[in-house]
Each structure stands twice: as structure tokens, then as C-alpha cells.
């Protein structure tokens, strides 16, 4: 390894074709956070980089400094998450998480706690757990680590107890009581509120959720507020689930 090269461990979040033979990869790395690199010749037949330039792979890379983007010189797959690739539903959920990571994290700012959480969620997608449970649990864990955790134990606006009628407001930053109406308020049942709390505080995701649809809608409002945009992969997931 020369002074121009350095190793990283990374999840490939996105892979785009570049020119005739190359790929541009968005990585989330343990050592340097989110970064964009070039995999030169990755699309050539027999390229040793082909298997490590696909989205949703976990690899060890040796990168070299470049003028605009660093580029891959060597790559070794560590985990391919085969079950995610074989199951369209698991793939759809994983792509939502990958896009969320890409859009919610700053470039070149490592966060080992967040990185470890990403790996945990990807392992859950590759296992037997309901992917919706894994996705929603992962989203709330991401929100906690990144500083966007919604207030779920009291009214986010006035601080009072919630009572039976609660709404979720991304603008307010969490659940709101009936005395604090909001234009963007999403009504939630007691079951949805209880399950959201479990997802937020639990060290492991539940095996089933009765109010998964309502929780997903609330979290989409949360991320839409944080990112000021919708998650495009969520539309693909809708098509898969419907």
C-alpha cells in the first residue's frame, strides 16, 4: 500500500454506470463516512471489481486518491446479502434504507455507531425477519443516532401527556396531544403509538407489527421533513408491496 492508497470497509449504497466501462459508487464507509468513488473498468467482462461494484454489497476496498473522485484499485467482497437479491420485497426495503443513508448522512464524516447499525439492519434484511419490521426499526435507530429522533413519550409541542388521541407531526418533531392541533398532523391509533415506542426503545426489532402501514407513513413524513424531499425508492417499494 503506497502513500496514495488507503483501505476502507464499506456498504455500496448505489452504483451508476459511468462512460463505457466504469461505475460510480456511493459508499458508506466505517473510516470516512459517505463518499463517492470510481470503479474503473468494473463493467468490463471478467473485471475483478464487478462483484464489488453492485449496490447492497459489503466490501473491503483499497482506494487511491484522484483529482475529483478517488478510485478503486482493489476490492474484496465481505458479504453479498444473497437473500436480499433473491427476494423482491427484501430488495425493495433494503433500497429504501440505502437511499435514506445516502441522503441523510454528510460526506466524509465517519460515524462508527451509525455504520454498525447499518450492518445490523442489512443482516436483518438478509435473514428471516419481516423486512418491514426491520426497515421501520432501522429507521428509528438511524433517527436516534443522527439526532432526528421523534418525541414519542409526551406531546412534542406542549410536553403534556398524550391521552387517547395522538397525531404525528414532523414539523413539531413527534407526537402531539389533542390540545395541540397541527396542519401536518397524522392521526395515529393507540396501537400505532405503542408500537412506535417499542421500535424506538427496543434493542431488537419485533417479529410483527399490527400498525406497520401507519408507522411507515409517519416516518415518511419525518424523513420528508428532514430531507426536504421524498424517498424515491419508497415508490418502488409501494409497487412491490401492492
Amino acid at each position: 500500500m503506497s502513500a496514495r492508497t488507503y483501505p476502507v470497509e464499506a456498504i455500496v449504497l448505489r452504483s451508476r454506470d459511468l462512460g463505457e466501462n466504469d461505475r460510480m459508487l456511493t459508499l458508506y464507509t466505517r473510516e470516512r463516512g459517505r463518499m463517492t468513488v470510481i470503479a474503473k473498468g468494473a463493467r468490463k467482462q471478467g473485471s475483478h471489481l464487478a462483484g464489488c461494484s453492485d449496490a447492497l454489497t459489503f466490501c473491503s476496498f483499497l482506494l487511491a486518491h484522484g483529482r475529483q473522485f478517488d478510485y478503486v484499485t482493489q476490492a474484496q467482497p465481505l458479504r453479498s446479502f444473497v437473500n436480499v437479491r433473491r427476494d423482491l420485497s427484501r430488495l425493495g426495503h433494503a433500497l429504501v434504507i440505502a437511499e435514506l443513508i445516502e441522503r441523510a448522512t454528510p460526506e466524509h464524516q465517519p460515524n462508527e455507531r451509525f455504520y454498525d447499525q447499518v450492518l445490523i439492519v442489512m443482516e436483518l434484511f438478509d435473514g428471516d425477519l419481516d423486512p418491514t419490521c426491520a426497515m421501520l426499526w432501522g429507521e428509528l435507530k438511524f433517527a436516534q443516532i443522527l439526532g432526528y429522533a421523534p418525541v414519542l413519550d409526551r406531546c412534542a409541542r406542549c410536553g403534556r401527556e398524550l391521552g387517547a388521541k395522538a397525531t404525528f407531526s414532523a414539523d413539531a418533531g413527534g407526537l402531539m396531544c389533542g390540545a395541540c392541533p397541527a396542519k401536518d398532523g397524522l392521526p395515529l391509533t393507540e396501537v400505532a403509538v405503542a408500537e412506535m415506542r417499542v421500535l424506538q426503545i427496543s434493542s431488537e426489532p419485533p417479529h410483527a407489527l399490527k400498525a406497520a402501514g401507519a408507522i411507515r407513513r409517519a416516518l415518511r413524513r419525518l424523513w420528508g421533513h428532514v430531507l426536504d424531499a421524498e424517498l424515491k425508492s419508497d415508490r418502488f417499494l409501494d409497487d412491490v408491496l401492492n
Side-chain angles (χ1 to χ4, degrees):
M1 186 168 59
S2 70
R4 293 187 63 249
T5 60
Y6 59 95
V8 297
E9 182 184 283
I11 293 280
V12 181
L13 301 177
R14 188 154 61 115
S15 176
R16 291 156 283 175
D17 290 348
L18 182 67
E20 294 185 2
N21 299 307
D22 305 338
R23 280 182 174 169
M24 178 176 284
L25 310 180
T26 302
L27 309 178
Y28 192 80
T29 73
R30 178 182 294 279
E31 297 83 359
R32 302 191 177 213
R34 179 171 59 84
M35 58 190 306
T36 301
V37 301
I38 305 299
K40 294 184 177 181
R43 290 159 56 207
K44 287 184 178 179
Q45 188 173 5
S47 170
H48 68 287
L49 300 180
C52 291
S53 62
D54 293 329
L56 306 178
T57 54
F58 172 40
C59 304
S60 174
F61 292 98
L62 186 64
L63 304 179
H65 294 290
R67 289 185 179 180
Q68 184 175 6
F69 297 105
D70 292 353
Y71 58 92
V72 180
T73 61
Q74 297 178 32
Q76 179 68 41
L78 300 175
R79 193 82 155 78
S80 58
F81 304 113
V82 175
N83 291 336
V84 173
R85 300 177 185 286
R86 291 175 177 172
D87 187 304
L88 195 58
S89 175
R90 293 184 181 280
L91 177 63
H93 286 82
L95 289 174
V96 169
I97 287 295
E99 183 185 355
L100 179 57
I101 297 165
E102 180 180 5
R103 300 180 68 176
T105 57
E107 277 194 308
H108 306 298
Q109 292 188 27
N111 185 329
E112 287 200 22
R113 184 183 169 206
F114 185 82
Y115 181 86
D116 290 341
Q117 188 66 58
V118 170
L119 287 183
I120 291 170
V121 174
M122 288 302 301
E123 291 287 354
L124 290 171
F125 284 142
D126 205 46
D128 298 326
L129 184 72
D130 183 317
T132 299
C133 293
M135 180 182 74
L136 298 178
W137 178 80
E139 288 184 40
L140 278 165
K141 296 304 175 186
F142 292 167
Q144 284 183 311
I145 295 170
L146 297 176
Y148 304 123
V151 177
L152 302 179
D153 60 344
R154 63 190 185 281
C155 178
R157 183 152 290 168
C158 70
R160 293 181 227 168
E161 292 187 8
L162 291 167
K165 294 183 179 180
T167 59
F168 184 87
S169 168
D171 183 61
L175 294 174
M176 293 175 55
C177 67
C180 295
K183 292 181 180 179
D184 70 331
L186 174 69
L188 293 179
T189 65
E190 291 184 42
V191 171
V193 170
E195 290 186 336
M196 279 190 78
R197 288 171 175 164
V198 169
L199 287 167
Q200 188 174 69
I201 66 175
S202 176
S203 60
E204 295 181 356
H207 290 281
L209 291 167
K210 294 180 179 178
I215 296 171
R216 182 182 165 203
R217 287 190 291 275
L219 291 181
R220 289 300 158 271
R221 294 197 180 193
L222 171 69
W223 293 117
H225 181 76
V226 170
L227 304 174
D228 197 25
E230 294 181 356
L231 294 171
K232 296 178 181 178
S233 299
D234 207 47
R235 300 174 194 170
F236 173 73
L237 181 57
D238 278 335
D239 291 340
V240 169
L241 296 178
N242 295 330

